[in-house]
Amino acid sequence: MRGGHHVAAVSDATFDLAAGECLALVGESGCGKSVLASALLGLLPGNAQTAGTAHVTRPGHTADPTRTTDAERFGTGPLGTEPLGTELLGADERTLARTVRGRLIGLVPQSPAAHLTPVRTVRAQLEETLRALTPTPKRTLRAAAEQAAARTSFPADRLDRYPHELSGGLAQRAATALALIGDAPLLLADEPTTGLDRALVDRTADELRRHTDDGRALLLITHDLAAAQRVADRVAVMYAGRIVELSDATTFFGDPGPRHPYARGLLDALPERAFTPVPGMPPALSDLPEGCAFAARCTRATDVCATRPALTDGVACHHVPAEATRA
């Protein structure tokens, strides 16, 4: 809620994410990508409201969506005492703090400088996280912290610096190193390549891919379509708070390419492609149209776009057949 008005920051977002898979969530700034990640971790402002369900299961277990309670849906662990999965949107703060954040879900934050503790060095924060999430003996803690930093190319000679002494790129690498500790079964990476040069972008993307290939899930939130192409198995395109296309990454970046006109426009705006920007501006989330939110910017809009298209067969557009034919 903002200024006494409800703002639908994210609506009708439905997707699954398997172990060993990366889903890249892409779209313009303000479309709701980071809000979605914050909702999964219970990090929304106090006046925010959520509806629906979001389940995360432990490695090696599959949720049963036909069941009605968490105990039935996920089963139990040893001796029937430990639930094998957690419903995130309905979880209380105690559950989120003790069993979800860092353990079931790791987070690479969008603003790493604000995420890092300002009065502790990077080394101290890495060691603290290692003690909390891994069985690291005290005598090997220093070496383990250096190994954690090396995963994201954070230089060992900067480990004893405080966050305010780091560049934006170094802060980003420190935050990513912290998120990878514990090898959580699900990693949310919110713009993990911000402030990095191209070589470090590729290095970070490759490390995230290795993390995924080891059997963990990755939700990559990014503006960097080149990084998404390098690491993603599937792509979800978000526009004005809604997912408008969900596609296999090979198809999305290759042939025949995106089916939704907005998704196609995102790719066409890349310098190595048509280098043509998407015309116009997205609508304010506080003033969304009743029909297709992209219609005002779309060259194919017709009267039918006055009604909101549902996400059908992976795309939310009334003109999908025409787009597919053109491809």
Side-chain angles (χ1 to χ4, degrees), residues 1-6 44-50:
M1 181 178 292
R2 178 181 297 176
H5 299 284
H6 286 278
L44 292 173
N47 63 345
Q49 299 176 358
T50 59

Side-chain angles (χ1 to χ4, degrees), residues 2-318:
R2 178 181 297 176
H5 299 284
H6 286 278
V7 177
V10 178
S11 301
D12 304 323
T14 301
F15 59 88
D16 56 14
L17 184 55
E21 181 183 35
C22 170
L23 174 66
L25 185 61
V26 303
E28 292 171 285
S29 295
C31 70
K33 304 186 302 297
S34 295
V35 172
L36 191 152
S38 295
L40 296 178
L41 284 168
L43 297 176
L44 292 173
N47 63 345
Q49 299 176 358
T50 59
T53 58
H55 292 101
V56 59
T57 61
R58 299 180 189 276
H61 300 279
T62 302
D64 182 355
T66 66
R67 302 292 183 167
T68 58
T69 68
D70 278 356
E72 292 175 330
R73 187 178 292 115
F74 296 108
T76 54
L79 304 180
T81 59
E82 182 186 6
L84 298 176
T86 300
E87 200 290 298
L88 300 174
L89 299 185
D92 57 30
E93 177 59 26
R94 180 185 177 91
T95 299
L96 291 168
R98 294 196 174 191
T99 67
V100 175
R101 298 178 191 136
R103 292 173 172 82
L104 282 177
I105 304 178
L107 173 67
V108 181
Q110 186 177 32
S111 302
H115 182 77
L116 299 171
T117 303
V119 296
R120 307 195 69 185
T121 65
V122 174
R123 184 190 300 277
Q125 294 181 63
L126 288 170
E127 291 181 354
E128 178 183 36
T129 305
L130 283 162
R131 283 194 298 267
L133 299 181
T134 68
T136 305
K138 185 175 181 179
R139 66 180 182 278
T140 64
L141 203 55
R142 184 180 181 88
E146 293 176 356
Q147 291 173 1
R151 291 181 70 178
T152 59
S153 299
F154 189 94
D157 60 357
R158 311 289 177 87
L159 281 171
D160 294 312
R161 294 192 177 186
Y162 292 89
H164 73 272
E165 299 177 302
L166 305 177
S167 66
L170 282 177
Q172 184 68 64
R173 281 182 270 172
T176 303
L178 286 164
L180 292 174
I181 291 174
D183 291 324
L186 171 60
L187 182 65
L188 303 183
D190 193 354
E191 302 291 355
T193 59
T194 298
L196 306 182
D197 60 34
R198 195 72 246 169
L200 281 172
V201 167
D202 292 345
R203 170 69 184 267
T204 299
D206 290 345
E207 182 59 43
L208 293 175
R209 185 68 246 183
R210 279 191 290 273
H211 182 82
T212 306
D213 289 340
D214 286 340
R216 303 173 188 92
L218 169 63
L219 179 61
L220 174 64
I221 298 171
T222 185
H223 290 91
D224 190 338
L225 292 177
Q229 184 174 7
R230 191 177 183 94
V231 70
D233 298 295
R234 290 187 296 147
V235 178
V237 181
M238 182 170 276
Y239 185 78
R242 295 184 175 91
I243 293 176
V244 296
E245 181 160 354
L246 188 59
S247 171
D248 175 80
T250 302
T251 299
F252 185 88
F253 291 108
D255 187 28
R259 292 180 292 165
H260 194 282
Y262 171 67
R264 186 181 294 275
L266 286 181
L267 284 189
D268 286 346
L270 295 176
E272 61 270 26
R273 301 209 181 203
F275 204 27
T276 303
V278 181
M281 295 291 291
L285 294 178
S286 58
D287 189 27
L288 292 175
E290 292 185 4
C292 174
F294 187 64
R297 307 172 71 184
C298 183
T299 59
R300 292 183 171 268
T302 62
D303 291 345
V304 71
C305 301
T307 60
R308 182 184 304 166
L311 187 71
T312 305
D313 191 27
V315 63
C317 179
H318 293 297

